Amino acid sequence: MSKIYFLHRCLKMFLAIFLICFCFLANTNINAQQTISGAVKDGSSGKFLSGATVSVKGTNQNTFSNVNGAFTITVPGKKSVIIISYVGYVTQEIEAGENTNLEVSLQPNATELNQVVVVGYGTQRKRDVTGSIKSLKSDDFNKGIITSPQQLLQGKVSGVNVTSASGEPGAAMGITVRGPGGVRTGSTPLFVVDGLPLDNSSTGGGDPLNFINPQDIETIDVLKDASATAIYGARGANGVIIITTKRGKAGISTLGFSSSIGVSTIARYLPVFTGDEFRIEVPKAGGVLDNKGGNTNWQKEAVRKAITQNYNLNLSGGANKLSYFASLGMQRQEGIIKKNDLNRYSGRFNVTQRFLEDRLVLELNMNVGNTKQTRPPITSVLGDVITYNPTYPAYDANGKPAVYQNINPLLYFDLDKEITTINRVIGNISPSFRIIKGLIYKLNFGIDNSTSTRDVESLPSTIPFREGRLENIYNWNRNTLIENYLTYAWNNTKHNVSALAGHSYQKIFVQQRNSSINRFVVGGVDPIYNPGVGQDLTLANNRPGGFAFINELQSFFGRVTYQYNNKYLFTANFRADGSSKFGDNNKYGYFPSFSLGWKISDEKFMENSMFSNLKLRAGWGLTGNQEIPPKITQALFTSLGSASYPLYPASGNYPAGYAYTRLANSDIQWESSEQTDLGLDFGLFKGALTGTIDFFRKVSNNILLQVIPADPVQPATDVWSNVKDMTITNKGAEFELDYRYKAKSAHSISYNVGGNLTLIKNKVEKSPYSLIPAGSVSGAGITSSTINGYVNGQPIGTFYLKEFTGFDNNGMSTYTDVDKNGVINDNDRLALGTALPNCTYSFYGNIAYKGFDLSVNFNGVSGNKIYNYTENVSFSKLRLAKNVNATSESVADPKESLNNPTPVTSRYLRDGAYLRLNNASLGYNFNTTSLRINKWVSAVRLSVTGQNLFVSTKYKGYDPEVNIDRSINGVSSYGIDFISYPKARSFIFSLNFSF
């Protein structure tokens, strides 16, 4: 009993001591607890962040900031560490200490954001990508007067050549990814806007992407090799450009307004003779001077100082379950040629809504655009102002354009105009549902509908006499898409697998109608407002016309990615495309690709190396090209009024007959492109220096051509067919390098320098023809000539010409006699260079100090030639002797005879290399806190940008960046300059606000 009693007393004493200690410790903890309040802001914009996670390190205690960024949390003691985190921002850890009120500024995690790139039907971290993909953020875009998204990336991406062939506002941009690969199929890449693949058909002329407001674009991702583009199958051979527009962010409500005004002037005049020089040169050329005593620069009379106004308003924000972005934009741009204007109005709305505990996500994108372009007859105006007699005064005594025997070029501005109005609505809805963990179903339904009206008007006039004409062209283009696909992702510590499988159906309807009317009353109602005032409706002069077609594309696609130990990467893509464009025997094409990646920098033997990133990539793939005319697999019959058949009983009025003009071919199949790529991505000095090296080879085969039938006894002159042995090869290397230094404080200098270089070779092989002509010409004595084309063993766009060697004793042109037979003809033509550059490059630099920043961008090309067709047909000694203006270069050799003809030869072939200062921008970001306006205005920026500030080139035309369409039967031409619209030099002043 005594032992039991002793144990009982000991237990009671133990419990008493335990309770005393517990109470003491509990009292100590209660006294140490403290409540901390604060607010979380975006460190760059100053906006409050809603939904930021605030937690206590080492515990399960956490809370979230509210719509005003405010939070309250209780911590155990002063030594507690508070963790503040938000997606896309650098996480902060703060010791509680004596603080009870915190103001936390989170900085955007640029490194993390840049790791995400958009690929076909999804996104990937950049470090996990095995294909050749370049992603550009809005901060990296070119600056200036931008009318089309292609201008944003000109010179920014290796392997991508963007050509603004004309200085006219809204003109179509040329763009190729790793070189052209087709003859009749074009080389334009596939554009995908917010998940909707666009049809490259232009509705009403101009660039098909003019409807997009560049201010709305967040990123542009360029998919270059087949391992990246094969997921788009039949449309991936020319590369894929994915445009993603801006979206709102949960927790940040922003109202932004930007405005700019630009002043543009002609950057360069053609060096034709002045009036005083003309009076000397015409007699020297052997002509009789027609002198009216003036000294008129007709080019200056046709151009003006053009003003461009740009205004953009955007509103974005959201809560935890909803985010939105809305914008309105207006751009009013004057061309540097008089009476040439482009006005664009755009509206965009994007919204993302989450339901069912984030299992269901609904995304909606909508864009509405209206563009109106007014233009005079550009070619006629420019063709006259560069050749018109400079001794003729431009205006008469009353200040009106003087009228001479030949029309005054300035009269075009009063008598002729062309107005094109395009309305475009593009939108898609994309709901996605998480079925189980890792498995997501997504629907993408989109419509792109555009209409245009083009009115071409020539007013009637007595002096000079004209009856007048009005032509109306109406275009409709409707693109409908519906896609269904599943994605699945699974991972553990060693393995990471994702899979994609889907179906796509796209239908494109295109229609055009045209009508016209002639003969109007001078001074009457403007025909554009009432065509009924026309007096000539005969079918001979005004027969209505039009066309319509439907293209359909059905596809099955899939992708599998696998990672082992986060170091070894594998990606496989597959797509089966069926197109209505192809024959019954080859409706479907099959396009696989495979690629591998090795993150060398993650290996143990690289732990202490200088490389922060080192990844080796290799890929192979097969892609297709379907950009060919519709219905070519079918026979074509054409109605001919001149052909008729006598029917019984004979009446004398025989009905019109039909001619068999195209043979059917149900075996036509896809033009395909086989691509291989070997790449290396690297980063040094903790990611400050990054770069990419790629070696690629792209071989296009099954080339689609319009050929002569093998059987000479045929009712039709041609048939479409695949030339199976013919190939077009592009191979080369790409290099990109970028160095960024980020200052540790706002009072230090930050800078960024970099550039890219592309070396590429193009070659046509095993063509069934010695020359497939591409560059057409017209004019006295040269109409049947061609300038360039596709020549075996040579690049696309090779200039196949007689080689000019000088003048003989009679002042007549001499040429290389290739076959040594003493006769100069087409058999003596030589391959004398190509319009395609073999080297494209760019370099840039940015520097920031306190609120100031300066950026410059250069780009250039070399290895290409330009054919100056303008000089060929406009400037010569004979024309000068007839009082037509010319350049000193055209009459530089006194030995040349006045009667020397000017055929298409290498005499007019020029070096097309250039280096351009594309844009330079100086800006200042005001400190809104110092100005005491930060409660209302979070950011104010003022900037001035110069565009096309100078170009260094040997070429003496308006600009070396030219490519006027002189195609022959749809065969693309390259590098021909014919009365091109001059480029402008612009200065833009901008003011941006964020509220």
Side-chain angles (χ1 to χ4, degrees), residues 163-359:
T163 305
S164 54
S166 170
E168 182 178 3
M173 301 285 294
I175 180 169
T176 57
V177 178
R178 291 184 169 178
V183 178
R184 295 295 303 268
T185 51
S187 299
T188 303
L190 173 68
F191 292 96
V192 181
V193 179
D194 288 331
L196 179 61
L198 302 183
D199 174 29
N200 282 331
S201 298
S202 175
T203 304
D207 193 274
L209 296 183
N210 280 345
F211 74 98
I212 302 177
N213 184 352
Q215 295 283 336
D216 290 342
I217 298 176
E218 180 70 26
T219 61
I220 298 178
D221 294 88
V222 182
L223 283 56
K224 296 189 283 187
D225 71 333
S227 63
T229 64
I231 194 68
Y232 288 104
R235 294 170 293 177
N238 295 326
V240 179
I241 295 178
I242 301 176
I243 297 173
T244 304
T245 59
K246 294 177 180 177
R247 308 193 74 84
K249 297 179 181 178
I252 307 177
S253 295
T254 302
L255 175 64
F257 175 74
S258 65
S259 62
S260 67
I261 185 166
V263 181
S264 303
T265 56
I266 187 172
R268 194 178 192 182
Y269 292 99
L270 289 189
V272 295
F273 292 127
T274 65
D276 292 336
E277 293 169 338
F278 189 81
R279 280 183 271 267
I280 296 172
E281 295 296 332
V282 170
K284 282 176 59 178
V288 178
L289 178 64
D290 180 8
N291 183 13
K292 294 286 192 297
N295 198 359
T296 303
N297 186 328
W298 288 103
Q299 293 180 85
K300 283 188 176 181
E301 296 295 335
V303 300
R304 63 182 173 183
K305 184 178 292 184
I307 304 298
T308 298
Q309 303 173 65
N310 206 322
Y311 305 97
N312 294 278
L313 179 70
N314 63 74
L315 178 67
S316 66
N320 288 332
K321 301 292 184 180
L322 171 71
S323 61
Y324 62 89
F325 176 88
S327 71
L328 294 172
M330 180 184 76
Q331 180 169 298
R332 301 175 64 88
Q333 182 179 2
E334 294 180 345
I336 56 174
I337 292 181
K338 295 176 180 178
K339 300 291 183 75
N340 179 209
D341 305 282
L342 177 70
N343 297 327
R344 180 182 62 208
Y345 302 90
S346 63
R348 177 171 291 277
F349 179 70
N350 299 333
V351 64
T352 301
Q353 175 73 62
R354 299 175 182 273
F355 303 93
L356 306 177
E357 297 180 342
D358 294 347
R359 291 176 70 100

Side-chain angles (χ1 to χ4, degrees), residues 796-838:
I796 287 176
T798 290
F799 294 101
Y800 198 56
L801 307 166
K802 290 181 285 187
E803 186 176 33
F804 175 73
T805 56
F807 302 100
D808 60 18
N809 294 330
N810 297 319
M812 308 301 284
S813 298
T814 59
Y815 307 97
T816 300
D817 187 3
V818 176
D819 52 16
K820 308 297 183 183
N821 64 355
V823 178
I824 302 298
N825 53 30
D826 282 350
N827 294 327
D828 296 301
R829 290 181 293 180
L830 293 168
L832 298 175
T834 174
L836 302 183
N838 56 29

Side-chain angles (χ1 to χ4, degrees), residues 79 171 180 210 219 302 310 347 436 511 533 559 740 803 843 888 923:
K79 296 295 185 181
N210 280 345
T219 61
N310 206 322
I436 59 174
Q511 182 181 11
V533 299
R559 176 173 57 227
R740 296 176 183 269
E803 186 176 33
F843 51 94
S888 58

Side-chain angles (χ1 to χ4, degrees), residues 42 193 339 464 564 694 714 829 942:
D42 181 306
V193 179
K339 300 291 183 75
Y564 175 71
D694 274 280
Q714 289 285 356
R829 290 181 293 180
L942 180 66

Side-chain angles (χ1 to χ4, degrees), residues 79-98:
K79 296 295 185 181
S80 300
V81 175
I82 303 170
I83 302 174
I84 303 97
S85 63
Y86 196 86
V87 176
Y89 291 80
V90 178
T91 299
Q92 279 197 37
E93 295 187 3
I94 302 174
E95 188 176 279
E98 300 292 340

